[in-house]
Amino acid sequence: MAEECSVVVGVRIRPFNDREKALNAQLCVDVDGPTTILQNPPEMAIESGKGKEAKRFTFDASFWSHDGFEVGGDGYCSAAPGSRYADQRTVFETFGRRILDSAWEGYHCCLFAYGQTGAGKSYSMVGYGANKGIVPISCEEIFKRISANTDSNLTYEVMVSMVEIYNEQVQDLLVPPKDRPKKGLEIRESQQLGIYIGGVSRRPVDSYASIEAVVEEGTENRTVGATLMNATSSRAHTVLTIEFKQVSQAGGQQGQKLSLINLVDLAGSEKAGQTGASGDRLKEGCAINKSLSALGNVIEKLADKAMGKAKPNAVIPYRDSKLTRLLQNALGGSSKTVMICHLVKLRRDALNLEICGSSEEDQEFCDHQ
Ligand SMILES: Nc1ncnc2c1ncn2[C@@H]1O[C@H](COP(=O)(O)OP(=O)(O)OP(=O)(O)O)[C@@H](O)[C@H]1O
C-alpha cells in the first residue's frame, strides 16, 4: 500500500444523436488504439487561424462507440464483424474491472464519467436496457467474486450510499425529496473516519438484487431537467459509494480492509447558449461548471504528483468544491482514479485533454467553456 495515487484517463465517442444528424454534424474525431485524433474542420480552422492539421492525444484508452455495432435480439449493441466498436463490456473490462481489482487489494477508488451534456456519461455508467453500464456490471461482479470465495476465514460486508450534489448541496438519494433537509447534508471530518457525510443513509446489501434495488431507488430520486441538448439531462453529480469491507480471521485475530468504491456520474458540462439555459437551468449550469473546474484542478494536481511533475507534499485543492471535498478520502493517498471522458464538441471538451499529461496540449483545442 506504499504506492501513490494513480490516475488513468480514457475517451469514449458515442453515435450521433437525432439532433446532430438533423444538423448534418461533421465527424471530426477518430481513434487509433489509445490515441484520439481531432480533425480541425475547415470552418474552425478559419476561425482559429490554425490550419487543418489533425491533433493526436494519447490516453490510457480511446473507445470508438460511434458506429460499427450490431443490435442483438435482446437489444445489446456489440461490435459488427471486423469493426472496432467498443461495447459496454469492453469499457467495463478496460476500466471497471481495474477498479474492482484495486478495491479487492484494499485501495479506495473513484471512477468518473465526464463530458458535455448528452455526451453519453449515463450510458457508460448506468446504461440503457440490455446495454448495462459500469455500475450494474460492477455490482454483479462484486457479488460474483464474493460468492466464489471459498476461504471460511474471510467474510465481506458491503454497504451502499447514493448522493447527488445539486447546486453545491449534498442530497441523500435514498431519502425521498420531501423528507430531505432543505440545505442538504453536511460534509464532516473526523480523525477516525476522515471525510464523511453527516446523516447519510448507508444500506447493507448482500446480493446483486439488493444493490440493484438500492441503485434503482436512488436513480428515481435524481434531479433531472430537460435542456435543448438532452431531453433527460442530469443536472447534478451522482455519487454511488460502495463501502467494501473484507474481514479476515487468523490466529484469533481479526483483520479488516476497507475500500470505498465511488462511481460518479458527473453532471454535464455545457455552454449556456447551446443548451438554451436561463433561470434555474443557468444557475445549475454555473454550479456544475464551477465544480467540474475544481475537479479538473484536483485531478490535474494528483496526476502531476503521480508523474513526479509536482512535489509529493503539493497542496491539493479539495476544499474548492463539495464534489472534491466529498471524494477527498477516495481521491487522496494511495488511491486509484479512472476518468472516462465523453467527447462531442471537441474544441470545448477541454477537461478531457487538459488532465491527461501525455497529450500534446494545444490551448486552441483546450479552450474550456
Ligand atoms: N455509446 C453509446 N452508444 C449508443 N448510444 C449512446 C451511447 N452513449 C450515449 N448514447 C445515447 O445518447 C443519449 C445521451 O446519452 P446520456 O444520457 O448517457 O448522456 P449524458 O452525458 O449522461 O447526459 P446528461 O449529462 O445531460 O445527463 C442517450 O439517448 C443514449 O442512449
Side-chain angles (χ1 to χ4, degrees), residues 12 14-15 65 116-123 128 230 233-234 268:
R12 190 173 197 190
R14 64 150 170 74
S65 302
Q116 198 173 317
T117 186
K121 299 177 296 295
S122 301
Y123 188 91
Y128 292 87
N230 191 3
S233 183
S234 40

Side-chain angles (χ1 to χ4, degrees), residues 99-119:
I99 286 288
L100 295 190
D101 291 345
S102 300
W104 247 259
E105 286 169 35
Y107 291 104
H108 292 332
C109 323
C110 281
L111 186 144
F112 294 96
Y114 171 85
Q116 198 173 317
T117 186

